[in-house]
Amino acid sequence: MSRKGKLIVSLEVKCGGHSIHDIFRTNTQHLSTISPSRVKHFEIHEGEKGEIGSVASWKYYEDGKEMFVKTVIEAIDPQTNSISWNVIEGNLLDLYNSFTVITSSEHEWITYTLVYEKKTEDTPEPLALMHYCVGVIKDTESHLLKN
């Protein structure tokens, strides 16, 4: 049995995938206001917001528990409106040897991809994190449709 995995979810959004991509890339600091039940804090530690090589940390709520993650942006592709974040610290690395989150958007769609390697065969799939990601997308869509 492989310890490597990938989960993908694509959601149709009425506000346009590019609008959500813009929040994720250039206005990430607003997610704690947009989705306060899910995102507690966001902070840039190195580099510029939304640029390759920038390092940021997040405090977020997953299944009612406060979690911490520090990420570095590994890649940005303007053609697919995608951003790839590699996890370098935090709770996820207690269960996974490596973890990458990729967001991409196209027209009225936003896609989250989680790519990971479990530390053990018994490590659960990151379904709670995927549920969290879907919630952030829905909160962001609601926010954009109101404004």
Side-chain angles (χ1 to χ4, degrees):
M1 179 110 79
S2 176
R3 292 194 294 176
K4 292 184 178 186
K6 182 188 281 190
L7 293 176
I8 302 170
V9 65
S10 291
L11 296 171
E12 186 175 19
V13 289
K14 294 174 186 158
C15 62
H18 66 283
S19 297
I20 292 177
H21 171 78
D22 289 344
I23 296 263
F24 290 168
R25 179 159 183 206
T26 60
N27 291 300
T28 319
Q29 74 279 7
H30 295 298
L31 285 175
S32 60
T33 303
I34 293 169
S35 186
S37 66
R38 292 179 175 80
V39 180
K40 181 177 181 181
H41 181 73
F42 172 81
E43 181 178 348
I44 296 281
H45 297 280
E46 295 175 30
E48 295 295 319
K49 173 179 49 177
E51 297 298 326
I52 293 174
S54 66
V55 176
S57 65
W58 307 68
K59 288 184 183 174
Y60 63 98
Y61 300 104
E62 181 185 302
D63 280 347
K65 296 181 287 191
E66 185 177 306
M67 307 291 275
F68 170 80
V69 67
K70 188 180 269 189
T71 61
V72 61
I73 294 179
E74 293 289 331
I76 297 172
D77 184 343
Q79 287 194 295
T80 59
N81 285 330
S82 70
I83 306 171
S84 178
W85 289 275
N86 188 35
V87 175
I88 57 174
E89 281 182 39
N91 300 101
L92 287 171
L93 295 183
D94 293 342
L95 297 172
Y96 304 94
N97 290 324
S98 63
F99 208 99
T100 301
V101 177
I102 304 162
T103 62
S104 60
S105 66
E106 180 181 5
H107 305 292
E108 301 299 315
W109 293 88
I110 186 94
T111 301
Y112 256 93
T113 304
L114 308 180
V115 181
Y116 51 91
E117 180 182 356
K118 300 176 186 181
K119 285 195 175 193
T120 69
E121 294 291 329
D122 298 332
T123 300
E125 304 300 327
L127 297 175
L129 182 62
M130 184 59 81
H131 179 72
Y132 161 84
C133 294
V134 168
V136 171
I137 291 170
K138 289 181 178 183
D139 290 348
T140 305
E141 176 185 32
S142 293
H143 170 79
L144 290 168
L145 290 173
K146 284 181 197 172
N147 295 326

